[in-house]
Amino acid sequence: MKGLSHLLQTLKTDVHKLNDYQLTNELNNISDTYEAMLRFLTMGVEDPNLSTMYSQLQQRACVLSIRCKRMERIAANPLDLYSISAKNLTPQATFENLLLTLESDTDPKTQDIHTIRLFHFVWTSDIWKRNDFEQAMCLLTSESISVKVKSILVSAITYACLEYMDFHKMMLLFEAYLEENVEINQRAIIGIILVCRRHQDIISSYPEIVARLSLFHDDPEFRKDFFHSMIQLQLEVNTPRISDKMRNDIMPSLLNSSKMMRKKLGLIELNSEMTKNGENPDWNMNDSIDEKKAMDKMQEMADLQIDGADIYMSTFAVMKNYPFFNEIAHWFYPFDKDDASLGNISYILNDERGKYLLMLLNAGPFANSDKYSLCFMGNTLGEKAMEAFCSQIESQVSSQEDHESLIDSALNKKTTKNDARRRYVFDLYRFHKLFSRHPQFTNPFIENNKPVTYSPAETDIFTEFANDADQMLALAEFMIRQENYKEAIAILHSLEKAYNTNGEYWQKRGFCNQKLGDWQQALSCYDKADVIQSNSKWTLAHLGIAAINCQAYEKALEAYSQLIEMDPDSTKYINRKVECLISLSRYEDALPLLQKSHYLNDGDKQVKQYLALTYAILGKTDEALALYYPIDVSTSPTDFLTIGIIHLSEGKTNRAFAHLTQACLMDGFEQKYKELTAPFVAQGIIDSLKAELIYEALNINIRS
């Protein structure tokens, strides 16, 4: 086991390379203290503070190791943004000076310069001492400092800790959570989650941080924010899948709906009375179908938006090339309509002309960086074009009922925790995806080229939160809705003790196993759910499917028999029971069920086929053939295949071959032929060699 001695030996080499007096002095101090502690221990001196002293020495050594890594990085990678930023800071960049300038200088342009300087100063700062923490607290609690600047401070601390874990910076994140403003406290809790997940091994050696987390766990509001943040982060992990769905499914469906686009969205105008092929536009052919599809897709998009999904990532990705986004600090700015970087559009946003654009920015589910992008695009278009755009929004809004109330609500919308949390996580994702230097940062949404999982069950430091069974179950249900079945089942496994007697718990666990293709585990879970909560149609139906996939046909048969008792005319359940009976070679029992299913739905060709083949297996070939004769132009290749096998079963090889010839060009003929003849071969009705030779003859016939 590698202990403190090994770490100190490694540090000796690292510190020697850096040739830094302060680091050398600190290393010598730690080594001397550790050696003295060991010497007293071997002499038999009992020290009641031994454990505390060892823990403190470990922390000091860890801090020294982090400082060495930071200095080595700056020296070895001078062109990295981190190194450039650290080297460009002047000696005047101190908390005292920054606080003074931020409190006294009210000019928007110089405020931006000072805010950027603050971000870089904090982000690239060395490990803090107690004095640094106290000075940062002065800035965080100052009534003269804007929420915007404090928000940037929290983001800078988060990224400083993500680079190099720092006890005092971490403690400031805890203090930032206690701030009343949601922009600040929601950034803080997201920062806490990200840093704890990244550096859980280091954090676990700091009893003060662990104790602070434990204290927060007892706060219901923190616990609620914690799990909501976990959900928002996991939603963002799923953004590539959501973007793909928007790009390849939802948006094409909306764009293809000519009626919706023409009459509801107002984006497409017909320039002629006649369409491309000369049809009368008033015919509205397929419009009702298009409108239904479009409405379904719009609802799907709305549901994603309500959940907090990042549905506009792809849309705004192309708008991140403005010079504003060359500065790292700008990626974390809360949107401010008075920001000096906005230029002329800031004036529009602050008068009557821009209220509709401001309404759109306030009401839309946009990241802060997306709002800046829209404004920069507006400046590019020019003032007149922007006024026209605002007028277009006005006309859309004015057509709504109670539009004045709608406008007032959007303009005066108070930022909620959910709003602040969602926008900030969106911004983090965009930064790690679109910032020009993003490869220099460890992406919190991807790990080892795989999506990250945000769950207390995945992080040891969050054990107390993982013990909150109700919140964890809600998180698992969210994972299921997002189709993160592997992640959901990991959470559900951890909840077995708490929900062992809950039928729905076993249903959900079985469903996840089913979706992951683990049918045996799914069957076991559905069995338990059925024992706890009997006569559940959902459980019995899924138990039946799982049993069939496990070839446990007797168990499946029992499930579908119960379902048919509940719903006697359900062809779905009848057909599943037939499948079980046929798999058990119980054709006599299957026949009346097939007859009933065919009666209830005589248009189902598969039921008709199974009924005919079952008649044939039972020697009732006349009844079987009656289902298909007389043959006419509507007879399909599948019908000819079935008729051919029926004739083959009664020994009429020439007739069988003639009908099979009509079917042998169909797709998948070989597989279907072997599948349908197999029961007859198993029952000894058709000779296996004969069936094989017939197939060979058909092959020769095709080739000739």
Side-chain angles (χ1 to χ4, degrees):
M1 184 175 67
K2 294 180 180 179
L4 184 54
S5 297
H6 181 271
L7 177 56
L8 291 174
Q9 194 60 39
T10 305
L11 277 171
K12 189 175 181 180
T13 305
D14 295 339
V15 169
H16 179 72
K17 286 179 185 176
L18 291 167
N19 194 28
D20 183 277
Y21 171 77
Q22 286 186 340
L23 297 182
T24 303
N25 191 46
E26 174 66 3
L27 176 60
N28 290 337
N29 191 297
I30 296 169
S31 298
D32 291 345
T33 306
Y34 184 50
E35 287 172 11
M37 186 188 81
L38 293 177
R39 189 162 54 251
F40 283 118
L41 178 66
T42 56
M43 289 169 61
V45 177
E46 294 294 331
D47 187 346
N49 297 317
L50 181 66
S51 177
T52 302
M53 184 182 294
Y54 183 73
S55 178
Q56 289 173 348
L57 288 172
Q58 275 190 314
Q59 290 175 19
R60 288 174 64 188
C62 182
V63 167
L64 188 58
S65 176
I66 290 170
R67 292 188 68 199
C68 287
K69 288 175 183 176
R70 176 179 173 275
M71 292 178 70
E72 286 172 0
R73 173 185 175 180
I74 292 171
N77 303 285
L79 298 181
D80 272 9
L81 182 60
Y82 186 92
S83 304
I84 294 169
S85 175
K87 289 176 179 177
N88 285 347
L89 289 172
T90 64
Q92 288 73 36
T94 63
F95 271 120
E96 294 99 326
N97 291 338
L98 286 167
L99 180 59
L100 182 64
T101 52
L102 285 164
E103 285 182 328
S104 59
D105 194 338
T106 57
D107 179 75
K109 289 186 178 179
T110 52
Q111 271 275 326
D112 184 52
I113 294 170
H114 299 321
T115 305
I116 291 170
R117 191 172 294 150
L118 172 68
F119 181 91
H120 286 271
F121 171 70
V122 173
W123 170 48
T124 61
S125 61
D126 200 352
I127 300 298
W128 281 4
K129 294 182 172 59
R130 179 67 191 181
N131 185 53
D132 298 305
F133 170 81
E134 290 171 353
Q135 291 175 356
M137 275 296 295
C138 289
L139 197 152
L140 182 66
T141 56
S142 171
E143 294 182 1
S144 304
I145 302 297
S146 69
V147 168
K148 178 179 176 180
V149 172
K150 292 179 181 180
S151 298
I152 289 301
L153 171 64
V154 173
S155 293
I157 291 170
T158 299
Y159 273 83
C161 285
L162 287 173
E163 298 279 3
Y164 302 104
M165 175 56 202
D166 185 332
F167 169 76
H168 285 108
K169 292 188 184 97
M170 190 69 193
M171 295 306 282
L172 195 73
L173 283 180
F174 288 126
E175 294 299 327
Y177 176 75
L178 299 175
E179 289 291 305
E180 289 186 10
N181 188 277
V182 295
E183 288 287 356
I184 300 169
N185 61 45
Q186 292 309 295
R187 286 181 182 229
I189 194 168
I190 289 165
I192 290 167
I193 291 170
L194 295 180
V195 176
C196 284
R197 192 185 183 283
R198 175 78 61 82
H199 299 301
Q200 62 172 316
D201 291 340
I202 299 174
I203 288 172
S204 61
S205 66
Y206 282 94
E208 298 94 332
I209 296 178
V210 175
R212 194 67 181 271
L213 267 176
S214 183
L215 188 64
F216 271 129
H217 174 264
D218 294 333
D219 177 359
E221 196 62 26
F222 182 90
R223 218 161 48 238
K224 181 180 175 183
D225 288 343
F226 175 87
F227 278 97
H228 284 174
S229 296
M230 279 276 179
I231 286 173
Q232 188 62 62
L233 286 162
Q234 187 62 43
L235 261 173
E236 202 62 26
V237 170
N238 295 339
T239 294
R241 191 175 71 206
I242 293 166
S243 295
D244 184 66
K245 187 174 187 63
M246 290 290 296
R247 183 170 51 251
N248 299 321
D249 179 17
I250 293 176
M251 292 313 296
S253 295
L254 293 177
L255 292 170
N256 287 335
S257 174
S258 59
K259 181 176 181 180
M260 288 295 297
M261 299 305 291
R262 201 164 60 237
K263 295 186 177 179
K264 300 251 174 126
L265 302 180
L267 299 178
I268 296 176
E269 296 276 342
L270 287 176
N271 295 321
S272 168
E273 289 184 1
M274 304 302 289
T275 58
K276 180 171 74 170
N277 298 319
E279 304 92 339
N280 183 344
D282 290 335
W283 289 345
N284 288 329
M285 294 186 298
N286 293 323
D287 267 356
S288 60
I289 298 173
D290 284 348
E291 183 173 356
K292 174 69 168 60
K293 287 180 180 177
M295 290 300 290
D296 289 344
K297 294 302 175 184
M298 288 182 77
Q299 184 59 53
E300 192 173 351
M301 186 165 71
D303 291 342
L304 285 170
Q305 184 176 322
I306 290 168
D307 282 343
D310 192 350
I311 62 175
Y312 292 124
M313 167 62 194
S314 298
T315 304
F316 284 97
V318 296
M319 298 186 195
K320 296 296 187 287
N321 294 321
Y322 295 103
F324 178 83
F325 296 110
N326 292 334
E327 169 52 55
I328 180 176
H330 285 160
W331 286 87
F332 308 108
Y333 271 28
F335 180 73
D336 177 7
K337 63 187 177 67
D338 297 315
D339 193 300
S341 306
L342 293 180
N344 292 333
I345 202 165
S346 182
Y347 299 110
I348 296 176
L349 289 172
N350 281 288
D351 66 23
E352 188 65 21
R353 297 173 298 167
K355 74 176 182 180
Y356 293 101
L357 176 58
L358 190 59
M359 182 197 75
L360 176 67
L361 295 174
N362 284 352
F366 307 125
N368 293 295
S369 60
D370 294 345
K371 295 180 182 184
Y372 278 108
S373 296
L374 277 171
C375 291
F376 296 140
M377 184 186 71
N379 281 334
T380 304
L381 292 173
E383 191 170 332
K384 289 186 178 179
M386 275 310 300
E387 287 180 0
F389 180 59
C390 290
S391 297
Q392 188 177 12
I393 300 172
E394 180 183 2
S395 65
Q396 293 277 342
V397 174
S398 299
S399 64
Q400 304 290 324
E401 291 183 19
D402 199 19
H403 63 275
E404 288 295 338
S405 175
L406 185 68
I407 295 167
D408 184 64
S409 175
L411 290 177
N412 298 300
K413 185 173 185 270
K414 185 179 179 181
T415 301
T416 64
K417 283 184 174 183
N418 184 55
D419 294 332
R421 183 170 49 237
R422 180 184 61 191
R423 287 198 294 259
Y424 185 50
V425 173
F426 286 2
D427 284 325
L428 295 180
Y429 189 86
R430 282 153 179 68
F431 169 73
H432 285 281
K433 189 82 172 174
L434 305 172
F435 181 48
S436 57
R437 291 177 180 256
H438 76 267
Q440 295 176 14
F441 297 81
T442 302
N443 192 334
F445 301 100
I446 296 174
E447 199 170 78
N448 299 323
N449 295 318
K450 293 181 180 178
V452 163
T453 301
Y454 279 98
S455 161
E458 300 284 328
T459 309
D460 292 341
I461 202 72
F462 295 139
T463 299
E464 280 194 87
F465 294 93
N467 292 333
D468 192 329
D470 290 344
Q471 290 281 14
M472 288 291 284
L473 183 61
L475 182 59
E477 289 166 348
F478 160 78
M479 295 287 191
I480 293 170
R481 290 196 304 275
Q482 291 297 308
E483 300 177 16
N484 296 121
Y485 301 113
K486 187 177 178 181
E487 294 80 1
I489 206 164
I491 297 172
L492 290 170
H493 268 296
S494 71
L495 297 174
E496 183 172 340
K497 187 176 180 181
Y499 290 99
N500 192 41
T501 58
N502 184 294
E504 282 191 13
Y505 164 79
W506 289 108
Q507 285 179 343
K508 290 163 187 170
R509 190 160 155 181
F511 182 74
C512 291
N513 280 307
Q514 177 180 328
K515 287 295 184 178
L516 292 170
D518 190 344
W519 290 104
Q520 200 64 54
Q521 282 296 321
L523 179 57
S524 175
C525 292
Y526 290 140
D527 257 336
K528 290 174 182 175
D530 186 45
V531 169
I532 296 166
Q533 190 178 327
S534 59
N535 296 323
S536 163
K537 288 178 72 174
W538 190 95
T539 300
L540 288 168
H542 284 75
L543 189 154
I545 290 290
I548 287 173
N549 277 278
C550 293
Q551 298 183 353
Y553 298 112
E554 291 287 0
K555 185 176 283 291
L557 191 60
E558 184 182 341
Y560 288 114
S561 296
Q562 289 182 59
L563 286 165
I564 291 170
E565 284 181 20
M566 298 177 195
D567 191 354
D569 292 334
S570 170
T571 55
K572 178 173 68 175
Y573 299 148
I574 292 170
N575 293 340
R576 286 293 189 185
K577 185 173 181 179
V578 165
E579 185 180 345
C580 297
L581 289 167
I582 288 176
S583 296
L584 294 167
S585 300
R586 291 169 56 179
Y587 296 100
E588 288 282 3
D589 295 330
L591 183 59
L593 289 171
L594 278 166
Q595 289 170 328
K596 181 176 181 179
S597 182
H598 182 59
Y599 171 77
L600 292 170
N601 186 7
D602 62 1
D604 190 323
K605 291 187 176 182
Q606 190 172 29
V607 171
K608 177 182 173 182
Q609 183 185 60
Y610 274 104
L611 176 58
L613 294 173
T614 300
Y615 272 135
I617 284 174
L618 294 172
K620 301 178 180 182
T621 53
D622 289 342
E623 289 93 327
L625 292 170
L627 294 169
Y628 288 98
Y629 280 99
I631 292 171
D632 56 29
V633 292
S634 66
T635 305
S636 68
T638 301
D639 294 336
F640 279 115
L641 171 62
T642 307
I643 296 166
I645 290 171
I646 294 168
H647 281 308
L648 196 60
S649 72
E650 61 178 349
K652 296 178 180 177
T653 308
N654 56 339
R655 283 195 182 183
F657 188 76
H659 288 96
L660 290 171
T661 302
Q662 301 294 315
C664 62
L665 293 177
M666 66 183 280
D667 290 338
F669 173 76
E670 179 183 1
Q671 181 182 347
K672 203 67 182 171
Y673 174 80
K674 291 180 178 179
E675 181 186 312
L676 296 182
T677 54
F680 290 90
V681 171
Q683 295 290 317
I685 298 169
I686 298 176
D687 180 71
S688 60
L689 178 60
K690 186 176 182 181
E692 187 177 336
L693 291 174
I694 289 289
Y695 178 74
E696 288 296 321
L698 288 167
N699 261 341
I700 293 168
N701 196 45
I702 292 169
R703 289 197 295 271
S704 62

